[in-house]
Amino acid sequence: MPYALFSNDAKLSKAYPTAADVWKIARKSGLVVDVVSGQDNTGPRPVLDHDYEIRPCQLEPHEDPARNKADAERDAQTELQLAS
C-alpha cells in the first residue's frame, strides 16, 4: 500500500512505497521536529510539524510510488554533488 504526506484530508506529497520513505522526504523537507516528553526518558522522538500526518493513500492515475522514490533519491544525490 502506498503512503503520502497529508494535512487534514489534502494529499501534499507524491505517493511512496512505504511510510518510512515519506518520513525520509518529510525530514529532508524540514517538516520533522524532535520533541522530548517530560514523562519519557528515552530522549527526543521525531514528530511531524504543523499537524501533518503520513497515511496510506490512493494513487493518482499513472503514478508509480517506486519511481517517485527513485526520483527523490536521485534528486537528493544531485543536491549532495552540487553542495560539494
Side-chain angles (χ1 to χ4, degrees):
M1 168 152 298
Y3 290 82
L5 181 70
F6 286 82
S7 177
N8 298 315
D9 288 329
K11 182 179 168 190
L12 302 178
S13 73
K14 296 177 181 179
Y16 292 91
T18 68
D21 296 323
V22 183
W23 272 102
K24 186 176 179 181
I25 297 299
R27 183 173 293 281
K28 184 169 179 0
S29 299
L31 302 176
V32 178
V33 295
D34 291 325
V35 297
V36 178
S37 170
Q39 301 170 346
D40 191 4
N41 292 333
T42 61
R45 65 181 175 86
V47 296
L48 290 166
D49 204 6
H50 300 294
D51 296 323
Y52 294 125
E53 59 183 328
I54 294 170
R55 61 183 189 210
C57 67
Q58 296 294 319
L59 292 176
E60 300 294 328
H62 308 291
E63 187 174 26
D64 181 356
R67 186 179 67 230
N68 291 342
K69 179 181 177 181
D71 290 347
E73 290 172 348
R74 185 182 62 249
D75 291 347
Q77 184 63 33
T78 300
E79 287 177 18
L80 284 175
Q81 289 174 352
L82 292 175
S84 58

